[in-house]
Amino acid sequence: MAPPDLPLFERDREQAVLSAVIGELRSGRPALVTVTGEPGLGQNELLRWAAGQARDRGVHVLAARATSAEHELRYGVVAQLLAPEDRDIATRLFVAPQRPGGLPGLNHLLTACHDRPTLLVVQDVQWLDPASLRWLEALARRLPRAPLALLTSTTGTAIDRPEWSVGTPLTGLASTIELALPPLTTSGVSAAVRTVCGVPGDTDFTDALAQATRGVPAVVHEVLLRFTRTGCAPRAEHVEHLRALTAEVVGDHAAQALSELRDPVAVDVLRALAVCGDLLDFPLVCTLAGLHPVPEARLRATLMASGLLTPRDGSPPGHDAVVRARILEEMPAADRADLYARAARLAQRVAVADQGIAELLLRARPVGAPWAVATLRRGFAAALRSGRRDRATAYLARALDEPLRSEERARVELQLASVQMVTAPTAAERRLHGLIRSTGTGTGLRSQAVDLCLLGGDTRAARLAQPTGPGTLGDPAPCDADVPAPRRGSGTGSPPGRRARAVAGDATAPRGGNTSDPAHRDGSDEHPERTATADNDATVSERDDLATVGDRHELATVSERHELIALLRVARFLRHEETCPGVPPAPALPEHSHSPAVAGVRAWEHAMAGVHLEASRRLARAAFAPDPGGRPPLVTPRLFACRALFLTDDGDEAEAHLATLLNEAHRQRAAIAIAHVLAVRADLHLRHGRPDAAARDLAAAEAELPPARLHPLFVPYWASLNLVADLQNGRPDRAREIAARPVPSLSEECATSAYLLFARGVLARSEDDPQRARAYFRACGRWLLHYGCVNPAVLPWRSLAAEAAHALGDDAEALRLTREEVRLAARWGTRSALGRAELGLAVVIRENRTEHFRAAVATLSESPARTDYTRAVLELASAESAEAERRTALALTSRRASTAGGVAPGPLPGFSQAPPAPAGVPPGRGAAPHPRPPAGWPALSPAEHETALLAASGLANREIATTLSVTTRAVELRLSGVYRKLRIRGREELRALRYGPEGG
């Protein structure tokens, strides 16, 4: 059922003009009125209203309507006009031969008009047939001599614009009026909603309707009719449903207009415009549609007359997205794909922007040209720069439809998988597994595929990369078989049959039996001299060995195998799968290898075992050297090399390497690599006492890789970093929320679980819950030992568990754990690890506590562990609180200030000796016991707590600022917060709280 006539909203001005024309026509004054506007603005409805008004006033009305179907029918509109006067006129007009200059029925009409005023109404003159157009133009020239008015309507530009519409001299004596109809305003749309729906609409509903329909009355009316049939009220909650209905109505109107367009050339041009009208100008679009004899101006007028093409702000004509989709839906799929392919070729020839061509190629059939793949890859990079990852992956997936060489196809697959690791990780893993299984993958691509899988948490890929047959990764002796025999007289080769034993393989903890004995779990049976010598000779030996390889392919095979072994060792660290039936143990790393990946993983395994500090440092640096064979560097081994540099106290060097990795990942648009690099750098910031920088890096990492997309293997590590950062930044509520979040079950099977257990222990420690803290630290230790990590530099769980045990009164366990950590830290040899261990021992020991604190401060002052150093200074100040002078603490603060200013720290006179004990006090008894904190101090944040302790110890604001590496203004603000929370007036009352009876 057709909808009722559209109410004439906001057409008062036009109705007044037409009423005046009808009134003057009754007085014998002729007129020419043309109503124009886009389709749907109500031109024909306005003409029908005028015809009704004329009949009511006694004016004779003759009406006709031109259509596209009758555009070639001679005198089709004239026959409609004259049929009421002469029923046989149609037969004569259509059958009789046309005479030159003949205007059938015109003189008879003019004669009849003298007796009665006549109004001729012709709708849609843009579809007038040429004969009817000439007839009406002749009528217009004769208007001044007859009481006759011609009222017409048109949409857009007529195919052959009538002369009467421009006010020629021939019509100068008649009133010539052109009424251009505007769209409805918001008020008009609101009135339409109230009329059709029966109730007023919400402002949001009305605004959405006006925006979606562009104020076209016909669309507004039909949308509202369909909306009311659903029984919904015009409220804001139904806006999305309203938009869907509008799209349907606009599409239906477009389909109807397309079906009425009979010119095949115009249809072809319309489809070409729908494909690339925004990229190419109209002449090029006509060229794309094919050779045709129709002039460009006539084609443009035909399309605009159809209502399927409208000008926009003086720019080239364009299509609404819904209209464009409907036009293309009418085409067969093969023809549509071919049209897109031809459009892409034309756009490439005229140098259209890459993303525009890429959009055309997305819907085109394969074009089989090299420029297509290059354009799609450039469009991929541009889409990533603008943050459109879904569109970027679509470009690369389309590039795979083109004919490619096997190596180029593998590179595109790898690049696509690197983005899909964030958007569609399951699809990325399938794609990477295919690359790993492929035998025709280019140099380094299999290793890169496994590396990318590890960044995504897929440890199975490392097993999948094992070669089959002799010499597999799980073979008892794969490494020496891979390395070519040494040259004679080189003196660097290994004796035949000798196996190289990896240090980390011997240093890992046993998975069964009793692990309580440190001698059986910390790698103390290693031979540092033998291993260090092997490390020193590795580079020279492998170069001499590889120099004998004549086949470049064999060299690449050996390098790839070494990289895959290194990645398999990383997978073993991330997740122990060797306990599963049928899974062979991971092979040891090759002792003599030129691979930087092997060097990076060996550095980490040395650091995990807590042995060979210099070898670990040297290997970590070698991980960033260029590969001798020119193979592309891998991300995961270099990340582990950076983490090894953390543990060797080379944090600045690690930060520089991380910056390089980050720039490289940004250049490659590898979001998952960017996220992991930022997370590792946040770890570095936390270790160096920069929690604010850590929080920024973690936020940036989550922007690249949302937590919902993070693999369960990495969830504990990221959660621990966020927890500690929030705790150190004074946000304990957020830290508790993170600690309480459940983790996936798979997260409990990976090595990173130890980090979350440790962070939860730190949170429990900050909440003064030693029982829970000790349980978390013990669980952390068991998990680390299970994965072969005995180095206290990784996580100092022993000393913190000892402090919790000491608080619970278990001094024996506390001393055992702290002394074990001191021994392991001394074996590792870094200042940070040893200083933390000494600080832990000083906290739990009863005798010579002040001297132990001094030793810890002395060690930590030369380390990058700023947070631990600050804590040691605070503890030392607390231990010296009962002594008469505090020269040691002040001297240490000055020493830290000189170090921060770039001056190398040196020993201070009397630094390692305790102040003389008061008279009558036996040696070793001068240290005061730990005072209890004042009652109001738990309300302070960690930063305020540190600042308050230093201020209570007698340090000035500038000295506190230097110690904490903050500004003097920050110290002032913190102290103001302390005074407000403790309800005191200043530093003197703070000192009284710290050293008074309550604190004593």
Side-chain angles (χ1 to χ4, degrees):
M1 182 179 67
D5 288 343
L6 182 71
L8 297 173
F9 294 113
E10 298 187 329
R11 298 294 181 254
D12 297 337
R13 181 182 67 88
E14 291 80 4
Q15 289 174 318
V17 170
L18 293 177
S19 295
V21 168
I22 294 171
E24 292 181 357
L25 178 62
R26 297 184 63 215
S27 302
R29 183 172 178 81
L32 285 169
V33 182
T34 304
V35 182
T36 65
E38 296 182 19
L41 291 181
Q43 299 93 315
N44 293 339
E45 286 76 7
L46 192 60
L47 262 62
R48 286 195 291 268
W49 176 87
Q53 292 289 318
R55 291 190 185 96
D56 293 343
R57 297 186 186 185
V59 176
H60 184 54
V61 179
L62 299 176
R65 181 177 183 182
T67 63
S68 60
E70 297 179 355
H71 178 61
E72 301 298 332
L73 180 62
R74 184 167 58 117
Y75 291 120
V77 170
V78 174
Q80 295 180 52
L81 286 173
L82 300 182
E85 305 293 328
D86 186 354
R87 295 183 179 180
D88 298 329
I89 189 67
T91 304
R92 295 197 305 272
L93 291 176
F94 300 154
V95 177
Q98 183 177 4
R99 293 179 298 170
L103 298 170
L106 179 58
N107 291 331
H108 181 270
L109 175 64
L110 293 173
T111 301
C113 288
H114 287 288
D115 297 332
R116 54 180 178 177
T118 304
L119 175 67
L120 270 64
V121 179
V122 182
Q123 301 177 21
D124 298 329
V125 295
Q126 70 270 13
W127 299 118
L128 281 174
D129 61 275
S132 297
L133 177 61
R134 289 194 302 272
W135 193 92
L136 289 174
E137 288 177 344
L139 173 66
R141 287 193 294 269
R142 292 167 173 79
L143 279 182
R145 302 194 300 269
L148 187 145
L150 179 59
L151 177 59
T152 63
S153 68
T154 180
T155 59
T157 303
I159 299 173
D160 293 311
R161 188 169 178 83
E163 289 185 5
W164 70 75
S165 62
V166 293
T168 62
L170 295 176
T171 62
L173 297 179
S175 300
T176 303
I177 303 171
E178 182 170 355
L179 299 175
L181 299 183
L184 295 179
T185 63
T186 304
S187 299
V189 173
S190 179
V193 171
R194 186 168 50 254
T195 301
V196 178
C197 298
V199 293
D202 285 351
T203 302
D204 293 340
F205 183 90
T206 303
D207 292 342
L209 179 62
Q211 182 180 7
T213 61
R214 293 188 297 138
V216 177
V219 179
V220 170
H221 191 239
E222 188 167 351
V223 168
L224 289 175
L225 287 175
R226 295 190 186 186
F227 182 81
T228 54
R229 293 191 194 110
T230 63
C232 299
R235 297 291 180 261
E237 57 266 22
H238 300 132
V239 165
E240 292 302 322
H241 178 53
L242 176 73
R243 291 196 177 104
L245 286 177
T246 304
E248 290 180 6
V249 171
V250 171
D252 291 344
H253 285 194
Q256 178 66 26
L258 186 62
S259 65
E260 295 175 355
L261 192 60
R262 304 295 180 179
D263 189 351
V265 176
V267 172
D268 291 341
V269 173
L270 186 65
R271 290 171 173 173
L273 278 169
V275 167
C276 57
D278 294 337
L279 300 175
L280 304 177
D281 55 18
F282 193 77
L284 287 174
V285 171
C286 294
T287 301
L288 177 63
L291 298 176
H292 50 78
V294 183
E296 176 188 327
R298 185 176 181 84
L299 278 173
R300 188 191 297 270
T302 301
L303 294 177
M304 296 185 70
S306 70
L308 294 170
L309 191 66
T310 55
R312 295 183 180 175
D313 301 329
S315 60
H319 290 276
D320 184 86
V322 177
V323 175
R324 182 178 304 190
R326 280 300 182 97
I327 291 171
L328 295 177
E329 284 174 4
E330 301 295 326
M331 296 181 66
D335 294 346
R336 185 168 59 246
D338 181 71
L339 178 59
Y340 271 107
R342 291 189 287 112
R345 288 196 188 95
L346 180 59
Q348 194 269 340
R349 286 200 297 270
V350 298
V352 172
D354 288 330
Q355 279 198 278
I357 304 175
E359 285 293 323
L360 295 175
L361 290 171
L362 277 182
R363 300 167 180 84
R365 59 169 175 76
V367 298
W371 60 263
V373 177
T375 301
L376 286 166
R377 295 183 75 172
R378 290 194 297 269
F380 160 81
L384 280 185
R385 283 195 297 270
S386 60
R388 302 165 63 207
R389 287 176 180 162
D390 292 340
R391 183 59 67 184
T393 56
Y395 289 153
L396 280 192
R398 171 61 184 82
L400 293 173
D401 294 336
E402 297 290 333
L404 296 169
R405 293 180 292 106
S406 59
E407 184 171 349
E408 186 179 8
R409 179 174 296 277
R411 293 187 183 281
V412 174
E413 293 263 13
L414 185 68
Q415 195 174 22
L416 175 57
S418 69
V419 181
Q420 286 183 328
M421 271 295 180
V422 176
T423 60
T426 303
E429 287 181 9
R430 287 198 300 266
R431 197 176 298 279
L432 292 172
H433 287 182
L435 284 177
I436 294 169
R437 291 190 184 98
S438 175
T439 57
T441 305
T443 303
L445 291 182
R446 292 183 72 225
S447 300
Q448 287 181 282
V450 177
D451 182 38
L452 190 54
C453 283
L454 288 178
L455 290 175
D458 178 18
T459 57
R460 298 171 300 165
R463 297 283 181 190
L464 189 66
Q466 298 182 69
T468 57
T472 62
L473 293 183
D475 191 72
C479 302
D480 292 333
D482 292 338
V483 181
R487 294 179 296 177
R488 292 185 178 180
S490 63
T492 59
S494 301
R498 184 178 74 82
R499 284 191 49 80
R501 184 179 62 175
V503 174
D506 295 335
T508 53
R511 289 187 297 275
N514 184 13
T515 60
S516 61
D517 185 3
H520 290 87
R521 67 178 183 235
D522 59 11
S524 58
D525 59 341
E526 290 287 346
H527 299 282
E529 297 83 2
R530 183 178 65 187
T531 309
T533 303
D535 290 333
N536 288 331
D537 296 338
T539 304
V540 177
S541 174
E542 57 87 13
R543 287 178 180 171
D544 289 339
D545 289 344
L546 294 175
T548 63
V549 180
D551 189 357
R552 186 178 183 87
H553 177 71
E554 182 179 354
L555 173 61
T557 302
V558 172
S559 300
E560 183 180 79
R561 181 164 296 178
H562 287 182
E563 287 179 346
L564 294 177
I565 291 174
L567 294 173
L568 184 56
R569 297 290 295 184
V570 172
R572 176 185 179 276
F573 167 73
L574 291 176
R575 185 184 181 192
H576 264 320
E577 294 179 321
E578 297 171 0
T579 56
C580 300
V583 178
L589 290 168
E591 183 178 347
H592 302 297
S593 175
H594 69 292
S595 173
V598 172
V601 177
R602 286 191 70 192
W604 172 248
E605 292 191 348
H606 280 335
M608 289 274 290
V611 293
H612 314 317
L613 173 65
E614 291 302 325
S616 179
R617 180 179 286 124
R618 184 175 61 255
L619 288 168
R621 290 168 178 167
F624 295 93
D627 187 272
R631 297 173 65 81
L634 304 179
V635 177
T636 306
R638 288 185 288 169
L639 280 179
F640 276 88
C642 287
R643 295 174 71 177
L645 289 174
F646 295 177
L647 307 183
T648 61
D649 277 359
D650 297 298
D652 293 340
E653 186 175 351
E655 190 169 5
H657 289 310
L658 287 172
T660 302
L661 278 172
L662 191 61
N663 291 333
E664 178 184 305
H666 275 297
R667 285 197 304 271
Q668 297 174 355
R669 309 294 173 187
I672 193 165
I674 294 171
H676 280 286
V677 173
L678 288 171
V680 173
R681 194 169 71 175
D683 192 351
L684 172 64
H685 289 321
L686 289 176
R687 291 175 181 271
H688 287 192
R690 300 191 292 265
D692 51 345
R696 288 193 297 270
D697 275 351
L698 288 171
E702 291 181 358
E704 295 288 339
L705 180 61
R709 297 287 188 180
L710 187 64
H711 194 276
L713 289 182
F714 301 114
V715 167
Y717 181 60
W718 285 43
S720 67
L721 295 177
N722 278 288
L723 193 157
V724 175
D726 285 336
L727 200 58
Q728 293 186 5
N729 283 319
R731 294 190 289 264
D733 292 339
R734 289 181 55 179
R736 293 188 197 97
E737 179 186 349
I738 294 172
R741 289 176 190 166
V743 296
S745 57
L746 184 60
S747 300
E748 300 174 357
E749 304 176 11
C750 61
T752 59
S753 295
Y755 288 86
L756 184 55
L757 291 170
F758 183 85
R760 286 172 173 169
V762 171
L763 177 62
R765 180 171 174 265
S766 70
E767 295 174 342
D768 197 19
D769 188 350
Q771 188 74 33
R772 190 159 53 97
R774 180 169 68 168
Y776 279 128
F777 290 134
R778 281 176 169 178
C780 169
R782 286 192 298 270
W783 206 246
L784 288 175
L785 294 176
H786 174 71
Y787 279 87
C789 178
V790 297
N791 191 350
V794 178
L795 291 174
W797 62 271
R798 295 176 182 85
S799 59
L800 295 183
E803 291 183 25
H806 176 67
L808 294 172
D810 193 348
D811 292 342
E813 181 186 2
L815 287 173
R816 179 180 62 83
L817 288 172
T818 52
R819 284 169 177 164
E820 181 182 3
E821 181 162 331
V822 169
R823 178 180 63 82
L824 294 174
R827 188 185 69 172
W828 177 236
T830 61
R831 290 285 184 176
S832 296
L834 184 59
R836 279 193 295 264
E838 291 173 342
L839 178 59
L841 179 61
V843 169
V844 302
I845 202 168
R846 292 184 179 275
E847 297 181 355
N848 299 324
R849 176 175 292 174
T850 304
E851 293 183 5
H852 285 291
F853 277 129
R854 290 194 184 104
V857 171
T859 305
L860 289 171
S861 66
E862 300 178 5
S863 77
R866 293 169 50 194
T867 303
D868 294 307
Y869 170 78
T870 302
R871 183 191 171 208
V873 171
L874 296 175
E875 293 285 359
L876 177 57
S878 177
E880 292 179 335
S881 61
E883 298 179 5
E885 56 183 297
R886 304 181 184 89
R887 292 174 298 175
T888 304
L890 295 176
L892 290 175
T893 302
S894 301
R895 182 184 186 193
R896 183 65 174 182
S898 64
T899 304
V903 181
L908 296 181
F911 173 74
S912 60
Q913 299 183 9
V921 179
R925 302 282 185 179
H930 276 290
R932 296 189 309 273
W937 281 40
L940 303 182
S941 68
E944 291 173 340
H945 185 263
E946 291 176 348
T947 306
L949 283 178
L950 290 176
S953 300
L955 273 67
N957 286 359
R958 187 178 300 277
E959 293 172 326
I960 297 174
T962 303
T963 302
L964 299 180
S965 299
V966 296
T967 63
T968 306
R969 177 60 177 166
V971 174
E972 294 172 354
L973 292 175
R974 290 180 184 180
L975 288 177
S976 298
V978 169
Y979 301 153
R980 184 179 64 257
K981 292 178 181 179
L982 298 183
R983 297 182 179 180
I984 59 178
R985 298 179 180 177
R987 192 180 292 252
E988 291 302 323
E989 294 187 29
L990 180 63
R991 289 169 57 83
L993 282 177
R994 179 67 179 85
Y995 300 110
E998 183 183 351

